[in-house]
Amino acid sequence: MDLLSLLLEKKLREKNLKNTLRFPPSLTATWLAEGVLQLIPQEKKNDTLIISAGIHGNETVPVEILLQLLSQLAQGTLSLQHNLLLIFGNVPAMRENKRYIHNDLNRMFGGRYQNFSAGIESERAAELESVIQRFFQEPVVMASARGWHLDLHTAIRGSCHEQFALLPFQQREYAADLLQWLEGSDIDALVFHKSEGGTFSQFTSQYFNMDSCTMEIGKVYPFGQNDLTKFRNITMALHDLVAGSFSVKREKPTIKRYRVIDSIIKQDSSFQLHISEDTKNFTALPDGFEIASQENQSWKIISPANFILFPNANVAIGLRAGLLLEQIT
């Protein structure tokens, strides 16, 4: 049985680890929670790596890529040069092919789950925060010189830049080697946040000093309908990273960079987005255009923040319905 079937059928877990996955003697494997696997090389490593996928359950490409990577680690065909934590985020939502069951998990981190009603996602956010804390209490992880967290996603809608990464807000400089790796992975654009949020990558950056990012590497499709050949460079970049190599070279034009200028927050039921539902991410809009409105408030495009990202009028009240970006050099 393949790893995806095992994950979706609740068979990929601690109690039957030896029956489903056998790792080389050089690795110590421990399930910290359902869908959360810790891999520690016996030979001491100076770096720590977290790779997560499926924080939104219907974003399937990253899950399939991560399962492929896990299989290669188990078979010994991929060497591990980091203390590694692999996370399959919202497993119940994966099983139902839904973005989430009750609430958006990627808005709940940093303790924000306490502001949401009890449900699958609020419990999972609390569990994942606890698991990350346990992982960083491992002596070898505590002794790590540095750490990266790559949180892999796919976008709901089409995009002028099909593959891009979002860097969480942080006071310190962004790590040059992470930016270099992102460029080598052949993504099309980088987006820099200007304020803290409830995302998973923001949590690990803010509380554990990780060099973190959210990677959007495709569009939402059901399991089994993804053409993984489209993600060859990103997959190779992940494999090289895990193995301690940076051999992937950029094949695309120069990466574009954007900065978040404003967030469109839905505050009541009168909220409307004044763009078509098929508007792509990173679409440039004209100055003065009223992009969104609600009672006693409206948002207009004011240069240089002419680009829209993640427009979605169907979010819950209190959540982000879009980001306005400016392009930077």
Side-chain angles (χ1 to χ4, degrees), residues 142-283:
M142 291 176 65
S144 296
R146 65 174 186 176
W148 287 11
H149 174 204
L150 307 176
D151 186 30
L152 309 182
H153 288 251
T154 61
I156 298 174
R157 62 179 62 239
S159 181
C160 298
H161 302 309
E162 185 177 9
Q163 300 170 2
F164 57 97
L166 300 103
L167 285 297
F169 172 77
Q170 58 187 44
Q171 297 286 358
R172 64 190 187 278
E173 289 188 8
Y174 294 98
D177 55 354
L178 174 61
L179 298 180
Q180 181 183 9
W181 180 85
L182 287 168
E183 186 163 359
S185 72
D186 253 5
I187 62 169
D188 302 299
L190 297 175
V191 177
F192 296 85
H193 277 286
K194 73 165 189 174
S195 59
E196 296 173 3
T199 65
F200 201 12
S201 60
Q202 177 72 60
F203 171 70
T204 54
S205 170
Q206 182 175 349
Y207 291 91
F208 297 94
N209 211 38
M210 299 284 281
D211 294 315
S212 305
C213 74
T214 302
M215 295 185 71
E216 303 277 352
I217 60 172
K219 192 175 179 182
V220 168
Y221 290 104
F223 284 117
Q225 295 185 21
N226 296 301
D227 180 2
L228 295 185
T229 62
K230 293 181 178 180
F231 310 98
R232 174 180 171 273
N233 270 25
I234 287 178
T235 302
M236 288 179 61
L238 287 169
H239 289 189
D240 285 350
L241 176 63
V242 167
S245 169
F246 290 91
S247 65
V248 175
K249 304 298 182 184
R250 186 168 184 84
E251 298 178 358
K252 292 183 178 180
T254 303
I255 197 168
K256 300 291 193 299
R257 296 188 177 209
Y258 298 84
R259 180 188 297 118
V260 175
I261 298 299
D262 197 9
S263 297
I264 300 172
I265 307 298
K266 180 178 179 178
Q267 297 288 11
D268 58 56
S269 58
S270 68
F271 179 86
Q272 289 184 311
L273 275 175
H274 305 303
I275 54 176
S276 63
E277 291 189 0
D278 61 353
T279 299
K280 293 182 178 181
N281 287 323
F282 298 98
T283 293

Side-chain angles (χ1 to χ4, degrees), residues 81-112:
Q81 299 300 318
H82 306 269
N83 305 304
L84 178 63
L85 192 66
L86 298 179
I87 299 175
F88 298 93
N90 196 339
V91 183
M94 289 181 209
R95 293 177 180 130
E96 296 192 26
N97 191 33
K98 293 182 177 179
R99 184 173 174 83
Y100 51 80
I101 304 298
H102 297 116
N103 290 290
D104 191 334
L105 178 57
N106 210 33
R107 301 294 179 268
M108 294 187 174
F109 292 98
R112 292 172 178 81

